[in-house]
Amino acid sequence: MWETPKQSIGFCGDGFWGIPDASVDFCEEKYIESYWVGEYYNTLSSLMYICVGIPFLFTKIKNIAWCIIGIGVGSILLHGTLRCYGQWVDEIFMILTVFKTLKYIRPYTSNIFLVISIYLYCNFSNLYFVFLIIFGILKMYFLYIIFKSNKIWLKVYISFFTMAFICWTLDQVACSFVQPFQLHAWWHLFTSISILCGMMELLNHK
């Protein structure tokens, strides 16, 4: 069952897409810059994922690139509408991206992990912490694999992802103090840079 639609932090009446019903809320004030865009800066910064994915569409990692573009589209839908269907697109493509990357690095990775992950997500997508657990497990396994490498791209990847995680955490737990800084938009920027570094390293992976 879905959560009852809720008033988000800083929500100023009905915007173009109606009352937000995503199961996660972000710190940016709602429908301030535009009547048609729920979170203007978070939506605009989501374009970074699409920009990162496009250059790799004609390479051997094109399947991963399409997933990254999917993240961008989903993130635009989520932050632009604040609706659950945007959240589904965003989070499913996040899970797919990590799994496709693991599959590329470790071809023997069983598809059953993806099936279980999607099944759990579809049944508990109204509970944001379930997505965090699924994505976190996949991400930690991925980081465990790449941490064993001394490649410069991967060091930069980890550095930017760490900065991104700090921004995401502060946006969630300290909104009243950091709201003017649009830290979730910085999460988009830093994770886009980390993804770009990861994609460059994957091109060299045999």
Side-chain angles (χ1 to χ4, degrees):
M1 295 190 57
W2 302 109
E3 288 185 345
T4 303
K6 59 185 180 181
Q7 290 272 354
S8 297
I9 295 174
F11 182 70
C12 301
D14 286 341
F16 182 78
W17 305 100
I19 299 294
D21 60 356
S23 64
V24 60
D25 192 19
F26 299 97
C27 195
E28 183 178 349
E29 291 187 279
K30 318 307 180 194
Y31 293 106
I32 297 298
E33 301 293 335
S34 172
Y35 175 75
W36 295 275
V37 181
E39 295 173 347
Y40 182 82
Y41 295 104
N42 287 346
T43 301
L44 190 63
S45 59
S46 297
L47 290 170
M48 289 293 298
Y49 299 117
I50 297 176
C51 293
V52 168
I54 287 176
F56 298 94
L57 288 178
F58 301 99
T59 69
K60 62 182 180 179
I61 54 175
K62 59 181 179 294
N63 290 337
I64 300 173
W66 278 115
C67 289
I68 293 170
I69 291 173
I71 291 176
V73 172
S75 187
I76 289 171
L77 287 173
L78 169 59
H79 294 293
T81 69
L82 308 177
R83 303 304 303 270
C84 58
Y85 47 78
Q87 182 180 3
W88 301 336
V89 177
D90 182 33
E91 293 175 352
I92 286 177
F93 270 109
M94 288 176 69
I95 294 172
L96 281 172
T97 299
V98 178
F99 181 81
K100 286 287 188 180
T101 306
L102 289 174
K103 190 76 172 177
Y104 183 81
I105 299 173
R106 296 288 189 270
Y108 54 80
T109 302
S110 175
N111 290 331
I112 191 64
F113 291 112
L114 178 62
V115 173
I116 293 174
S117 297
I118 297 298
Y119 173 80
L120 290 173
Y121 177 80
C122 289
N123 281 273
F124 300 99
S125 57
N126 60 312
L127 302 175
Y128 187 60
F129 74 88
V130 173
F131 163 74
L132 291 179
I133 291 172
I134 295 170
F135 182 73
I137 290 173
L138 291 172
K139 194 70 175 182
M140 290 303 295
Y141 180 51
F142 172 66
L143 291 176
Y144 167 74
I145 292 173
I146 67 174
F147 238 122
K148 296 187 293 185
S149 172
N150 291 319
K151 301 298 178 83
I152 184 63
W153 285 118
L154 297 183
K155 290 182 178 180
V156 178
Y157 171 96
I158 292 169
S159 298
F160 274 98
F161 186 80
T162 300
M163 290 189 291
F165 181 74
I166 292 171
C167 290
W168 184 91
T169 302
L170 290 175
D171 182 84
Q172 287 291 304
V173 304
C175 180
S176 59
F177 300 102
V178 302
Q179 190 175 60
F181 303 107
Q182 308 296 346
L183 290 187
H184 195 75
W186 285 98
W187 153 269
H188 290 161
L189 174 62
F190 289 147
T191 52
S192 294
I193 295 173
S194 69
I195 289 171
L196 176 61
C197 295
M199 296 290 275
M200 294 298 295
E201 176 58 29
L202 286 176
L203 283 178
N204 299 321
H205 184 83
K206 297 182 179 178

